[in-house]
Amino acid sequence: MESRTAKIFLLTLLLFLSYIIFFHKLGSLTIEIWDEARNSINALEMSENGNYLVTTYQEKTDTWNTKPPLLIIFQAIFIKLFGVSELSVRLPSAIAATITVLFVFFFTSKYTKSHFIGFFSSFILLTTPGLVDIHGVRSGDYEAMLMLFTTLYSLFYLSYIETKKIKYLYFFSIAFTLAFMTKSAAALLFLPALFIYTLYRKRVVHILKSKHFYFSLAIPVIIIGCYYLYRTMLHPGYLKIIYENEFGGRYLNSIEGHVGEFSYYWKLFVNTKLKYWLFLALSGLFFIFFEKNYRIKRLYIYASLLSITHLLVISVSATKIHWYGLPEFPFWSIMAAISLYQIICFTARLLKNETAKKAITGIIIVVVLLFPMSDTIKRIQRCDNEYASINTKMFLRDDITKHIDKTDKVTVLTTAPPQNLLFYIYDLQLKGYNIQLGKFNMVSQYDIVVLDEYQSSPIIAPVNILFDTQIITKYHQSIVLSKIVKERTPEEALDYAKQQLLDRENSNEIKSETENDISFDDQIQEEADAMIKNATAILYSEY
């Protein structure tokens, strides 16, 4: 299996699996709330305004998302190339994940001189359960690109330590710079492992004496320094905002309620993110003592340091978010592949019969190949499951243009987080539709409104009380597209509210609850007044 033909076959298989796991139906799911939603708006605005260094949100400098713009730049480029779509927003992540898989294959195959370890390192990474979860490599979040560049710089550094070839030191610096320009402080979290391994290999003095170490260090210092200097010149106080969002503020204090105990990530890895691969990876801690191949042994030790130190750093951090462990996955995968290799070799040494050796080896490989792949496909299907009945994004993307003209004035009314919808509203605006996300005081006669009862927030009933409306279409009951015919006068609103009360099937219940000294008509009057007051409060305060 060490031939060139085998290598081409394994590479082709990995590419095919990467397409299935990373690219198939990549654009089917609507933009996800929070990070992907805001990133998509950053990218869409960047593609329109042409400012590729400063991210904006609703045409203002974005101070909520203060990460460097590398991911957003790639997303903006793909929007320019392929148009405004979920696919354009997610392509950088899927491509980054694929490059990571291929690089792990080439590196581990070359370093260990074993295509078996190379292939299974990549295959295990492909089928790591947490890789395709929400906020994973099938979304427009930062983690896939961060995983790519941290994997590159970590393995380039290992190459430099082991070979002392200067080119790998510069490759390391370039990859580190790209990692930092992707997600700033998160790029630093593997550096403790690199330092520990340098001590272990007794290379500290060698590195400090090398002039190329300082030349290579200039790459991130100059590029990152110039970027932050430019941003600070544009926005005084920007460094303080960055510190609070990306460095000490996020590490020392929990952000936006993202809290958890020290074992938060470990429990996630055990139960959902790594599952069976975690235990396979850790089994190598026993077998590694019997490993005679020093290259395999060192690679396992190095991957262990990277995985465990990163896990400790994020576990100590006050802010806990479930996808922060994703950049570790390539190193857990390498550990698991080496462990699998050692288990098969150990089993083969115990068995005398050649047929039994082949049978046991075949069974282990089949189990390792089939079950995780099946589990990964099911996980992707679950993550891609989207409910149209509660999804205004799908209505804006797939259906609304069937019912409106470009001459109509359309206002979307919802209590849903605005970034959840803005990507689709901006897209419709670019296509020439007069649509906005707004408040009810922006609506006038003959306007069209999208009424979204987000999380059972009442809006449709209050609108019907205060306005005479004409329903254009309903989208799975919870979303209504209506035309405002006219605003009801106070008398008309009162008459409508009374009629609604009288039409209710529980009007007898209302009557039975009426106190002896209050007539049924007075009770209806009081409830109708309350309905109008409540409707006014809802529409003109919440919306």
Side-chain angles (χ1 to χ4, degrees), residues 69 80 110 117 129 139 168 198 210 252 256 315 317 330 333 337 341 386:
K80 280 286 190 182
K110 181 179 180 180
I117 294 177
S139 70
Y168 292 121
T198 306
S210 171
L252 300 175
E256 298 166 354
S315 296
S317 172
S333 301
Y341 171 80
E386 192 163 20

Side-chain angles (χ1 to χ4, degrees), residues 83-285:
V84 180
S85 69
E86 297 87 350
L87 181 63
S88 297
V89 172
R90 293 171 184 150
L91 268 176
S93 294
I95 292 171
T98 303
I99 295 172
T100 305
V101 168
L102 297 180
F103 183 78
V104 167
F105 170 70
F106 283 116
F107 179 88
T108 52
S109 294
K110 181 179 180 180
Y111 188 85
T112 64
K113 302 186 185 305
S114 168
H115 291 329
F116 179 94
I117 294 177
F119 172 76
F120 277 99
S121 294
S122 294
F123 178 81
I124 291 170
L125 176 59
L126 275 166
T127 56
T128 297
L131 198 67
V132 293
D133 277 348
I134 300 291
H135 296 284
V137 299
R138 287 177 61 88
S139 70
D141 289 67
Y142 292 92
E143 267 53 45
M145 278 187 60
L146 177 66
M147 177 182 71
L148 168 62
F149 294 128
T150 52
T151 301
L152 288 176
Y153 88 59
S154 297
L155 296 182
F156 280 140
Y157 187 79
L158 176 64
S159 297
Y160 170 68
I161 290 296
E162 298 299 339
T163 67
K164 297 182 182 179
K165 292 182 178 179
I166 298 302
K167 66 177 181 180
Y168 292 121
L169 187 58
Y170 286 99
F171 291 162
F172 157 76
S173 293
I174 293 169
F176 172 79
T177 304
L178 293 172
F180 195 95
M181 293 303 291
T182 298
K183 205 179 178 185
S184 65
L188 305 172
L189 302 187
F190 288 104
L191 295 184
L194 272 59
F195 178 69
I196 294 170
Y197 190 77
T198 306
L199 290 175
Y200 167 71
R201 296 288 291 126
K202 300 178 181 179
R203 295 282 195 267
V204 175
V205 174
H206 169 77
I207 290 176
L208 293 177
K209 286 184 176 180
S210 171
K211 64 181 179 181
H212 293 285
F213 169 71
Y214 301 99
F215 291 156
S216 65
L217 194 62
I219 296 173
V221 169
I222 292 173
I223 293 175
I224 296 169
C226 287
Y227 170 73
Y228 281 123
L229 178 62
Y230 173 72
R231 293 302 307 267
T232 303
M233 290 172 61
L234 289 179
H235 310 100
Y238 189 71
L239 290 180
K240 181 181 179 182
I241 298 173
I242 290 170
Y243 173 80
E244 293 172 351
N245 283 357
E246 305 297 330
F247 292 89
R250 183 174 292 267
Y251 193 81
L252 300 175
N253 303 289
S254 62
I255 302 293
E256 298 166 354
H258 295 295
V259 297
E261 57 189 352
F262 178 80
S263 60
Y264 174 83
Y265 291 106
W266 174 255
K267 290 178 179 178
L268 274 177
F269 284 4
V270 170
N271 296 319
T272 60
K273 299 297 183 180
L274 290 171
K275 295 171 69 175
Y276 32 79
W277 294 138
L278 176 64
F279 300 107
L280 178 60
L282 293 176
S283 69
L285 293 171

